[in-house]
Amino acid sequence: MKPTTRPARPQFSSGPCAKRPGWSLAGLEKALLGRSHRSGPAKGKLQAVIEGSRKLLGIPDDYRLAIVPASDTGAVEMALWSLLGARGVDVLAWESFGQGWLSDIEGQLKLEDVRGLTANYGELPDLAEADFRRDVVFAWNGTTSGVRVPDAAWIPEEREGLAICDATSAVFAMEVPFEKLDVVTWSWQKVLGGEAAHGMLALSPRAVERLETFAPPRPLPKIFRMTKKGKLIEGLFQGATINTPSMLAVEDVLDALPWAEEIGGLPALIERSEANLACVNDWVARTAWVDFLAQEPATRSCTSICLQIVDPWFLDQSQEERASAAKKIGSLLDSEGVAFDINSYKEAPPGLRIWGGATVETADIQSLLPWLDWAFEKLKAA
Ligand SMILES: Cc1ncc(COP(=O)(O)O)c(C=O)c1O
């Protein structure tokens, strides 16, 4: 039977993600447009983003936090190009983004002492293999496979290398213990539902020490440079961005941060996202045609919830036919106005990916699930 209730908001994309509940363009009216980003009021807004993020995430006082160019990718690349090469590197890669960092470190930075600790979609590499005498690079949440690290127990308090974590689809929805990480990056368009534009980069005192004592043996474009004459550029961490930021995007994140505080801060954001995962989990448990891509329950992401189709009819088809069938579910629900952008990532096994970050209402996930059953049955019958 075709369901009758549609999700109030069909935005389930994994980035840019749904805006916060209650968001409207009116929230951007105070944006400081047409003013220099170096003016006092603009710098005040940039600083407010830094301080608001620090407070909400509970980032230690001695960590530096900057707004940087080119979104999360910019923040990660800045860290990799500025910091790596002082010692060997372990790169954990279990889906597309981790694989991308691994291939950049090997193929672009051309570092010699690199170990790739890899796993297939749905699995994690053996975290115990990561050697923290070396630098360790990993994504907290693999957005394209819906597999996250279960905790930080595998990261030692005392480590010689730096723990460099791409946490863009984890922060604001998962416990990310900054004290155990030396570099943490994210962008605004994920769990906060902000506008895509800039990246955030958090550095531990040890990461700063590395920046000030290690001169990478490679040219660094201006857009990546965090030191001048061997000293950290302090202004970068006080709102003096390297280049011109979008004050409209800044205003949008300044709209999202107070919302997050008002609903109860980080614990409430995490609770909202976990409730979304729990809702999908209940449905998967009673639905024969679908399963999580993440094998191990403790590794299932509460943000990028990735599902595979396990119905025998589907599994009997070729890879190409499966990919096309899974896409048809997405297009059918898109044309019904029920769900946008829920196809799995292009390089991931064919299936569905539903964003369950904190801006998504559990009621909307609840309304979506019968539509998935309907679309699958319709496809199979055809
Ligand atoms: C784990 C991870 N890393 C990096 C990125 C790239 O982020 P951005 O487009 O903000 O640079 C994404 C985007 O989905 C991601 O999920």
Side-chain angles (χ1 to χ4, degrees), residues 213-298:
T213 53
F214 169 69
R218 63 189 73 100
L220 273 191
K222 173 178 176 175
I223 216 85
F224 286 176
R225 287 201 293 265
M226 290 183 268
T227 56
K228 195 168 181 187
K229 297 190 180 141
K231 279 280 161 215
L232 196 69
I233 303 172
E234 290 290 344
L236 183 51
F237 303 88
Q238 293 156 8
T241 51
I242 296 177
N243 66 331
T244 314
S246 156
M247 295 309 292
L248 201 56
V250 166
E251 198 63 27
D252 195 52
V253 74
L254 285 175
D255 170 83
L257 290 167
W259 164 76
E261 291 289 3
E262 271 160 34
I263 64 164
L266 185 59
L269 295 172
I270 294 175
E271 204 178 298
R272 283 174 65 86
S273 187
E274 289 291 350
N276 288 337
L277 173 60
C279 180
V280 176
N281 195 36
D282 288 350
W283 171 73
V284 168
R286 61 172 194 271
T287 306
W289 64 268
V290 76
D291 197 1
F292 286 97
L293 185 55
Q295 304 295 298
E296 190 53 50

Side-chain angles (χ1 to χ4, degrees), residues 188-210:
W188 298 333
Q189 84 267 20
K190 291 270 192 261
V191 182
L192 290 178
E195 284 304 285
H198 308 298
M200 299 290 298
L201 175 72
L203 300 175
S204 75
R206 291 178 56 249
V208 172
E209 186 193 1
R210 169 78 64 84

Side-chain angles (χ1 to χ4, degrees), residues 13-290:
S13 148
S14 290
C17 304
K19 307 302 279 183
R20 68 165 175 88
W23 181 92
S24 88
L25 272 174
L28 303 184
E29 274 167 10
K30 285 187 272 120
L32 209 67
L33 305 180
R35 291 286 314 269
S36 164
H37 61 296
R38 308 277 184 216
S39 69
K43 262 170 114 176
K45 285 191 183 266
L46 292 158
Q47 232 160 348
V49 175
I50 293 176
E51 289 318 315
S53 310
R54 182 189 291 283
K55 180 161 173 276
L56 189 60
L57 292 169
I59 299 176
D61 289 345
D62 57 355
Y63 277 50
R64 304 298 223 296
L65 183 54
I67 298 169
V68 300
S71 208
D72 178 70
T73 309
V76 176
E77 294 285 5
M78 226 171 147
L80 301 183
W81 285 73
S82 302
L83 292 165
L84 293 188
R87 52 180 67 227
V89 190
D90 283 1
V91 187
L92 282 71
W94 59 91
E95 48 78 63
S96 170
F97 287 105
Q99 282 156 6
W101 305 140
L102 175 59
S103 93
D104 273 12
I105 290 166
E106 286 179 331
Q108 301 295 325
L109 287 174
K110 300 197 192 305
L111 297 188
E112 273 166 19
D113 185 6
V114 181
R115 293 198 310 164
L117 307 176
T118 60
N120 289 331
Y121 277 84
E123 292 165 12
L124 269 185
D126 182 359
L127 300 176
E129 286 277 307
D131 179 354
F132 284 89
R133 287 170 299 182
R134 301 155 65 79
D135 293 331
V136 177
V137 177
F138 68 102
W140 192 275
N141 180 70
T143 318
T144 64
S145 70
V147 174
R148 60 171 153 179
V149 295
D151 53 39
W154 55 287
I155 306 172
E157 300 280 353
E158 299 291 324
R159 46 192 186 274
E160 290 164 40
L162 299 176
I164 300 175
C165 178
D166 169 2
T168 195
S169 54
V171 282
F172 303 108
M174 301 176 195
E175 293 287 356
V176 176
F178 280 76
E179 321 70 50
K180 284 207 160 182
L181 302 168
D182 297 292
V183 177
V184 185
T185 66
W186 66 92
S187 52
W188 298 333
Q189 84 267 20
K190 291 270 192 261
V191 182
L192 290 178
E195 284 304 285
H198 308 298
M200 299 290 298
L201 175 72
L203 300 175
S204 75
R206 291 178 56 249
V208 172
E209 186 193 1
R210 169 78 64 84
L211 283 175
E212 293 189 329
T213 53
F214 169 69
R218 63 189 73 100
L220 273 191
K222 173 178 176 175
I223 216 85
F224 286 176
R225 287 201 293 265
M226 290 183 268
T227 56
K228 195 168 181 187
K229 297 190 180 141
K231 279 280 161 215
L232 196 69
I233 303 172
E234 290 290 344
L236 183 51
F237 303 88
Q238 293 156 8
T241 51
I242 296 177
N243 66 331
T244 314
S246 156
M247 295 309 292
L248 201 56
V250 166
E251 198 63 27
D252 195 52
V253 74
L254 285 175
D255 170 83
L257 290 167
W259 164 76
E261 291 289 3
E262 271 160 34
I263 64 164
L266 185 59
L269 295 172
I270 294 175
E271 204 178 298
R272 283 174 65 86
S273 187
E274 289 291 350
N276 288 337
L277 173 60
C279 180
V280 176
N281 195 36
D282 288 350
W283 171 73
V284 168
R286 61 172 194 271
T287 306
W289 64 268
V290 76

